[in-house]
Amino acid sequence: MTSELSIRGLRKSFAGRPVLSGVDLDVHAGEFVAVLGANGSGKSTVLRCAVGLQTPDAGTISLAGDRAAMVFQQIHLVRRRTALDNVCAGALGRLPLHRSLAPALFPAALRAEAMACLDRVGLAGQAGDLAGKLSGGQQQRVAIARALCQRAKVILADEPVSALDPSAAEQVVSLLASLAGEGLAVAAVLHQPDLARRHAGRIVGLHEGRIVLDGPPPAIRESDLDVLYGHESRTPHPVAQSSGA
Ligand SMILES: Nc1ncnc2c1ncn2[C@@H]1O[C@H](COP(=O)(O)OP(=O)(O)OP(=O)(O)O)[C@@H](O)[C@H]1O
């Protein structure tokens, strides 16, 4: 398995308080990793460092491709633009400036690519709808299509379903799993262990800035999750790293 994202010895402190204390994590092509952990355990900081939104104090982050794309809980679409225009925005960084200034100037090839991305998330039929008129789940799928339009091989999603109802959440997590099935490397911070168990190939648990669980869902015991979320005082029993790391 190819490691598309490789994190080694990641450390980060805020105002002298350690938040990450040496995180090692690989995410491979074709893999959907769910990152679980209590509030404040450092999950978002790992993803934000991986995508370059935070600067680590120490450690290395290696990407096989040239970038990772990020999907957030706050979806950040331009509500008054169509779904298609929003997806095109994922490609703005690689357009010449004069082509990027307004949607009417976007090249036809980009529109076609954005359409294909919308099709991958099951929303080709909503391409012309204003983003602000779509449901929350549809908006998150548009944001995922926008990430696909960045042509990244790694998609990192930070609580992508925390604001969605259970049915939309299921759909979005299932979509992330299917994109991994197409060969992308996908990691998502989730606060829903049941969704992680149903859809992820691997669960990684963070506790006080360290990875303390790492394995396929059947290897993760309920008691391990209890410890992760602070229902028990002992540290979780570590699970062996999945193959290929
Ligand atoms: N930019 C920042 N400045 C100061 N402190 C920060 C910053 N970003 C994160 N922190 C702190 O670092 C700790 C870990 O934050 P992080 O967002 O990574 O945790 P998390 O596991 O994603 O939590 P949650 O589940 O609540 O989103 C928290 O105590 C948070 O307040």
Side-chain angles (χ1 to χ4, degrees), residues 69-111:
M70 187 111 168
V71 174
F72 300 90
Q73 178 184 350
Q74 299 289 334
I75 300 174
H76 301 303
L77 297 181
V78 182
R79 298 172 61 81
R80 292 179 303 158
R81 295 285 185 198
T82 64
L84 188 69
D85 286 348
N86 273 279
V87 176
C88 287
L92 290 187
R94 58 176 192 271
L95 285 186
L97 182 63
H98 71 281
R99 284 291 205 173
S100 67
L101 296 175
L105 303 172
F106 294 165
L110 170 56
R111 295 193 159 275

Side-chain angles (χ1 to χ4, degrees), residues 14 17 19 37-45 54 159 191:
F14 291 109
R17 190 172 67 85
V19 166
N39 293 130
S41 56
K43 306 177 298 298
S44 298
T45 304
Q54 293 280 4
E159 297 191 35
H191 274 303

Side-chain angles (χ1 to χ4, degrees), residues 78-206:
V78 182
R79 298 172 61 81
R80 292 179 303 158
R81 295 285 185 198
T82 64
L84 188 69
D85 286 348
N86 273 279
V87 176
C88 287
L92 290 187
R94 58 176 192 271
L95 285 186
L97 182 63
H98 71 281
R99 284 291 205 173
S100 67
L101 296 175
L105 303 172
F106 294 165
L110 170 56
R111 295 193 159 275
E113 182 175 349
M115 229 9 230
C117 293
L118 273 176
D119 194 35
R120 283 171 80 184
V121 305
L123 288 178
Q126 280 69 39
D129 293 357
L130 293 183
K133 300 281 185 197
L134 299 174
S135 70
Q138 288 174 324
Q139 289 188 30
Q140 192 56 287
R141 284 153 64 200
V142 171
I144 292 169
R146 182 178 57 190
L148 293 173
C149 207
Q150 291 182 45
R151 298 182 183 167
K153 293 180 175 174
V154 178
I155 295 197
L156 303 176
D158 192 2
E159 297 191 35
V161 300
S162 292
L164 303 182
D165 69 44
S167 150
E170 189 87 38
Q171 217 173 5
V172 165
V173 175
S174 160
L175 170 64
L176 291 171
S178 72
L179 292 174
E182 292 174 18
L184 292 174
V186 183
V189 170
L190 297 175
H191 274 303
Q192 301 84 355
D194 55 324
L195 281 178
R197 280 197 183 284
R198 278 203 295 284
H199 295 285
R202 194 172 135 216
I203 291 177
V204 165
L206 218 61

Side-chain angles (χ1 to χ4, degrees), residues 5-12 18-27 35 41-47 49-50 56 58-62 202 204-214 241:
L5 169 64
S6 185
I7 296 174
R8 289 288 175 276
L10 184 61
R11 292 179 180 274
K12 180 75 182 171
V19 166
L20 299 179
S21 306
V23 169
D24 297 334
L25 177 66
D26 284 281
V27 186
V35 182
S41 56
K43 306 177 298 298
S44 298
T45 304
V46 172
L47 264 52
C49 286
T60 59
I61 291 159
S62 313
R202 194 172 135 216
V204 165
L206 218 61
H207 184 71
E208 296 176 354
R210 295 176 200 276
I211 290 183
V212 294
L213 288 176
D214 189 343
Q241 182 96 9

